Amino acid sequence: MEIFISNQVSQYKSEFEYKSWCRNSNNDISVTEECKKDLYIENNFNKQHEDLLQSGYSANDIQVLEGLEAVRKRPGMYIGSTGLSGLHHLVFEIVDNAIDEALAGFCKSIEVTIEIDNSISVKDDGRGIPVGKHEKTGLSALEVVFKILHAGGKFGGNGYKVSGGLHGVGASVVNALSSFMEVKVSDGESIYFLRFERGEKCDDLKVIGKTTKTGTEILFKPDVEIFEETVFDYDVLLKRLREQAFLNAGLKILIVDKRIGEEKSEILQYNGGIEEFILYLNRNKTLIYDDVIHLKKVSEELECEIAMQHIDSYNENVMSFANNIRTIDGGTHETGFKNALTRSLNDYSRKYKFLKDNDRNFSGEDCREGLVCVISVKVKDAQFEGQTKTKLGNSDVRLFVDSLVSENFFSYLEEHPSVAKIIIGKSLSAARAREAARKARELTKRKSVFESNSLPGKLADCSERDKKYTEIYIVEGDSAGGSAKQGRDRRFQAILPLWGKMLNVEKTRADKVYGNDKLSLIITALGAGIGKDFDIEKLRYGKVIIMADADVDGSHIRTLIMTFFFRFMTQLIENGHVYIAQPPLYKISKGRQVEYAYNDNELKEVLSKIKNGDVQRYKGLGEMNPDQLWDTTMNPETRIMLQVKMEDAVLADEIFSILMGDKVEPRREFIEEYAKYAVNIDV
């Protein structure tokens, strides 16, 4: 008997616990008693529902949040989260305003500083925020910008022709979510100063000095009452600022970290713009031709610039920007580019007989295999989807970009026949591999239909079918897999043992992946498909947990599986389904007292409590008996797991290429640089 219960019933922690209680009830519990339990739950829910109705809901319950109070009440609506991504978003909002000054042609340099106390300073040499009286509000324009949502100089008029900040909430949101903010504005004559604390003005705008310079300097510190973490990551800021320097050729951006023990700085300035961006992205890749193909077109309302180059890879990396804002979900500029690129390559191939009359046209995927591309458009009236600006919606941009590529890329191919031959050769190879992958995919589907049991024979499945409560352990080795099968909770934990060396998919096309005996087990067990056929809704388990030994071989296996997930099941990571189990390194025992340590520091702590305890160093999961494996690594009450997140797909692409690619030198440099952060690795 399965009953879905409301989470308002406090007697059971979750729906799954109650369902498990029903399944595992002793035989002496009668149906009548279960019905009583069912009736109790229903009555309890109805009573709480009636109490809510009787409590009333009137006009007085409607709250009006004034000023910036709404931002502090619901910060996630404005910056996405109160975690690290939201924290760094504050910096980007302020920097984007300075970038808009650069787009307008008034800002030549920007300086971003992480101060000693972990506050942030952003300084630019633009025109400076206006300080005069704002007619409608009676306040200074400076105060309006930082105090009132949807106020700014980017809604029309002569302030900005093109800008990324279109909603007028950036500066005021940062102010609302900071414990303090100080603003200094130089207008060529005077220096003005205004201070806020948690969004509220401390004093009136005042003059604190004279100057011949212009610009704005903003100092703020994120509010500890709002954010879960308030320590900035220099590398996160550096990556975004470097990106902006590439997109704005010639703009000088200085980043400085003044924190004690973390002192460093870097000047970012690239006169080559996005052409240099492509060279930077491909610095650790193997090029198949030397040119960076550069296309540009400018009109009164629009500007588009594209730089691209093919590398010896089976993956594509197309990055698009609109008004310097990264559009991670693409939009009309990406659509226009992809359509025109595919059409141009097919037209050229037909004209010069690379494709015969009976040959099929290249698909878009064929043309973009190994392509690294940056698309940057400047739009006077950019239409983004939502405040996060992840997708561009202007229909005229698609036609503009399409015409740019159609007119210029075909001409480039004709003027550079040797490069054209290389690109078309790669597209032909991709087309053959795509057809082979299609046949392999169909073969896999036919097998699953005709075989009586389509799940892998080595898979020990769980009894629960609701993926909200299920998890699968992908375990290294048959020995560890055997212990995991015996130690697991079979109600919601499935075990899939793997053995032998896995395929490195970084160097392999999809058709080889389908036929690989190790990876096909994972594909079948997860049940969601692979590549473009991957459907997250069909995933059979809520958590996919990689469990391998805490040594060099285990690290290699984890990296191989992670590379596979990243290249062929990206949504698995994007949706937070992938975890890495953390088995202990040490067992410390003295008499009947037993404790575990997961690193050397924990070992020291345990030994300080257990004097003269016996220490066992685990060299592999197979050394643990089922009870130990359950207690330390699989029990939800006591285990430690790392959730794999993908904040930055470009960075992830670069790291996987370095670690699993063909080039040895970048991998050696990466290991040398990050070896100091590595722990628990046997050598």
Side-chain angles (χ1 to χ4, degrees):
M1 181 177 182
E2 295 186 4
I3 304 170
F4 289 86
I5 65 174
S6 165
N7 59 12
Q8 295 176 354
V9 181
S10 60
Q11 275 70 17
Y12 291 89
K13 293 180 182 178
S14 69
E15 174 184 319
F16 177 70
E17 284 191 16
Y18 185 68
K19 290 168 72 177
S20 298
W21 176 87
C22 290
R23 287 197 184 92
N24 294 280
S25 297
N26 294 328
N27 293 329
D28 59 349
I29 295 181
S30 67
V31 175
T32 303
E33 288 172 313
E34 288 196 2
C35 289
K36 287 179 181 178
K37 177 67 69 173
D38 185 11
L39 184 61
Y40 165 77
I41 293 170
E42 184 179 349
N43 289 340
N44 190 54
F45 173 79
N46 290 337
K47 182 178 183 301
Q48 292 186 34
H49 184 62
E50 289 174 5
D51 290 343
L52 286 171
L53 292 175
Q54 291 173 4
S55 66
Y57 178 58
S58 67
N60 293 329
D61 292 310
I62 304 298
Q63 298 182 24
V64 178
L65 302 179
E66 298 182 354
L68 299 180
E69 186 183 355
V71 181
R72 292 184 62 83
K73 199 77 172 177
R74 297 286 186 270
M77 291 178 60
Y78 299 89
I79 59 171
S81 77
T82 55
L84 286 175
S85 61
L87 178 74
H88 291 87
H89 189 84
L90 299 184
V91 184
F92 303 148
E93 286 284 3
I94 300 300
V95 170
D96 284 349
N97 289 334
I99 294 292
D100 286 341
E101 277 290 285
L103 278 172
F106 297 101
C107 174
K108 302 299 181 186
S109 67
I110 300 170
E111 184 175 326
V112 179
T113 305
I114 308 176
E115 303 290 350
I116 293 177
D117 64 348
N118 212 61
S119 60
I120 291 287
S121 165
V122 180
K123 184 178 181 179
D124 69 66
D125 62 355
R127 292 169 290 184
I129 299 172
V131 294
K133 185 176 180 180
H134 187 259
E135 292 183 5
K136 188 174 181 180
T137 63
L139 305 172
S140 71
L142 183 64
E143 185 176 344
V144 170
V145 168
F146 288 95
K147 274 283 293 177
I148 300 177
L149 287 174
H150 305 293
K154 303 166 187 177
F155 296 99
N158 299 318
Y160 295 90
K161 180 181 177 181
V162 170
S163 71
L166 301 177
H167 298 83
V169 301
S172 54
V173 164
V174 178
N175 185 22
L177 302 179
S178 299
S179 58
F180 76 85
M181 174 181 279
E182 295 180 353
V183 185
K184 294 179 184 178
V185 174
S186 300
D187 66 356
E189 297 179 356
S190 303
I191 302 173
Y192 295 84
F193 177 82
L194 191 59
R195 179 181 170 90
F196 301 88
E197 292 181 2
R198 293 189 168 88
E200 296 300 322
K201 182 178 68 172
C202 296
D203 205 347
D204 290 332
L205 181 68
K206 58 185 177 183
V207 176
I208 61 171
K210 299 293 183 181
T211 184
T212 58
K213 298 179 180 180
T214 62
T216 302
E217 183 176 357
I218 297 172
L219 175 69
F220 70 92
K221 190 170 186 179
D223 195 344
V224 294
E225 294 180 3
I226 300 292
F227 292 93
E228 303 162 15
E229 175 63 70
T230 56
V231 178
F232 288 99
D233 187 323
Y234 176 88
D235 290 334
V236 171
L237 298 179
L238 175 63
K239 178 200 167 295
R240 172 66 182 269
L241 295 176
R242 177 179 282 118
E243 201 172 78
Q244 293 299 315
F246 280 126
L247 292 168
N248 297 274
L251 176 64
K252 179 182 178 181
I253 301 179
L254 172 64
I255 178 172
V256 181
D257 192 341
K258 292 185 177 179
R259 292 173 295 188
I260 297 174
E262 301 288 336
E263 297 91 342
K264 49 185 165 295
S265 64
E266 189 163 346
I267 296 174
L268 309 167
Q269 189 172 28
Y270 307 100
N271 294 325
I274 63 171
E275 288 186 74
E276 281 195 63
F277 199 175
I278 292 294
L279 294 175
Y280 177 82
L281 292 172
N282 290 342
R283 66 195 185 282
N284 295 318
K285 309 293 177 67
T286 301
L287 306 179
I288 60 174
Y289 55 85
D290 294 331
D291 283 7
V292 174
I293 303 171
H294 183 246
L295 312 174
K296 188 172 182 178
K297 184 178 180 180
V298 180
S299 72
E300 183 65 28
E301 301 291 326
L302 289 168
E303 177 181 328
C304 177
E305 188 177 9
I306 298 171
M308 57 180 166
Q309 189 176 45
H310 285 79
I311 61 174
D312 184 16
S313 168
Y314 304 129
N315 309 294
E316 67 175 86
N317 181 11
V318 177
M319 301 173 62
S320 62
F321 300 83
N323 296 355
N324 290 328
I325 303 297
R326 175 76 190 279
T327 45
I328 58 176
D329 291 326
T332 51
H333 50 341
E334 270 197 37
T335 301
F337 165 76
K338 291 178 178 179
N339 289 344
L341 178 79
T342 305
R343 187 171 59 251
S344 296
L345 277 174
N346 278 307
D347 289 348
Y348 184 89
S349 299
R350 293 289 179 192
K351 181 177 180 179
Y352 293 99
K353 308 302 181 184
F354 289 100
L355 287 176
K356 309 303 180 184
D357 292 341
N358 295 329
D359 291 337
R360 293 182 179 180
N361 275 350
F362 295 132
S363 71
E365 289 180 352
D366 299 335
C367 298
R368 297 192 304 274
E369 184 182 274
L371 178 67
V372 179
C373 177
V374 174
I375 307 166
S376 177
V377 296
K378 306 294 195 308
V379 188
K380 186 174 183 180
D381 184 22
Q383 298 170 12
F384 293 103
E385 293 188 3
Q387 166 63 13
T388 53
K389 309 184 184 90
T390 57
K391 190 173 184 179
L392 185 68
N394 301 64
S395 58
D396 55 336
V397 173
R398 180 182 62 79
L399 297 174
F400 187 82
V401 177
D402 189 303
S403 66
L404 163 63
V405 178
S406 297
E407 295 165 8
N408 294 278
F409 183 55
F410 190 92
S411 298
Y412 175 88
L413 295 174
E414 291 202 310
E415 294 168 5
H416 301 81
S418 61
V419 175
K421 186 176 181 181
I422 293 171
I423 295 174
I424 291 169
K426 185 156 185 61
S427 299
L428 284 167
S429 178
R432 288 192 290 268
R434 175 171 53 84
E435 180 63 17
R438 183 187 64 79
K439 291 178 179 178
R441 197 161 53 240
E442 289 179 355
L443 180 61
T444 302
K445 289 179 180 178
R446 285 198 298 271
K447 282 183 178 179
S448 65
V449 170
F450 291 109
E451 288 177 357
S452 58
N453 180 12
S454 61
L455 292 176
K458 284 185 172 289
L459 173 68
D461 207 0
C462 54
S463 57
E464 175 61 40
R465 288 292 171 263
D466 191 334
K467 67 182 178 184
K468 287 189 294 185
Y469 310 111
T470 60
E471 50 193 46
I472 181 172
Y473 279 83
I474 300 174
V475 186
E476 171 198 359
D478 280 340
S479 176
S483 292
K485 287 179 181 179
Q486 295 179 56
R488 67 178 174 139
D489 186 329
R490 64 184 62 245
R491 293 174 302 167
F492 65 96
Q493 291 178 324
I495 307 297
L496 179 64
L498 298 179
W499 68 99
K501 186 177 180 181
M502 287 191 62
L503 182 69
N504 180 2
V505 301
E506 190 67 22
K507 305 175 183 178
T508 310
R509 280 198 172 100
D511 56 311
K512 302 297 183 183
V513 171
Y514 277 104
N516 183 264
D517 57 350
K518 310 295 188 301
L519 297 178
S520 61
L521 293 176
I522 299 176
I523 297 168
T524 307
L526 298 186
I530 181 179
K532 66 179 182 180
D533 295 327
F534 185 83
D535 184 354
I536 196 72
E537 296 300 320
K538 295 180 180 178
L539 183 65
R540 300 181 66 244
Y541 307 96
K543 290 185 175 69
V544 180
I545 305 166
I546 304 170
M547 187 161 69
D549 294 342
D551 57 12
V552 173
D553 289 338
S555 296
H556 189 222
I557 289 170
R558 281 192 293 271
T559 306
L560 287 167
I561 297 175
M562 285 298 303
T563 306
F564 169 60
F565 286 157
F566 177 71
R567 294 301 186 196
F568 291 93
M569 299 181 176
T570 313
Q571 291 182 56
L572 206 61
I573 301 175
E574 290 176 338
N575 288 272
H577 292 288
V578 181
Y579 295 79
I580 297 176
Q582 298 291 290
L585 282 176
Y586 302 100
K587 175 186 176 183
I588 305 96
S589 57
K590 187 176 182 181
R592 293 186 177 181
Q593 187 178 5
V594 176
E595 291 198 33
Y596 298 93
Y598 292 81
N599 53 53
D600 290 337
N601 289 333
E602 286 190 13
L603 175 63
K604 292 177 183 177
E605 293 177 8
V606 174
L607 289 176
S608 67
K609 295 185 297 183
I610 304 178
K611 304 296 183 182
N612 301 316
D614 293 327
V615 178
Q616 178 185 353
R617 172 70 158 87
Y618 288 120
K619 293 186 177 181
L621 297 169
E623 293 185 10
M624 294 187 192
N625 62 43
D627 289 341
Q628 291 174 334
L629 196 56
W630 165 256
D631 290 337
T632 63
T633 315
M634 301 181 69
N635 184 350
E637 299 293 329
T638 57
R639 70 188 179 189
I640 299 173
M641 293 198 311
L642 302 179
Q643 185 178 25
V644 179
K645 297 182 180 180
M646 189 167 65
E647 302 289 347
D648 184 355
V650 175
L651 180 60
D653 175 85
E654 180 181 350
I655 291 174
F656 281 119
S657 295
I658 290 173
L659 293 178
M660 308 309 293
D662 290 318
K663 286 196 170 184
V664 175
E665 186 62 22
R667 181 158 53 248
R668 184 184 64 80
E669 292 174 356
F670 181 91
I671 293 171
E672 287 177 350
E673 180 177 355
Y674 291 100
K676 60 185 177 182
Y677 302 112
V679 293
N680 304 340
I681 300 295
D682 286 341
V683 293

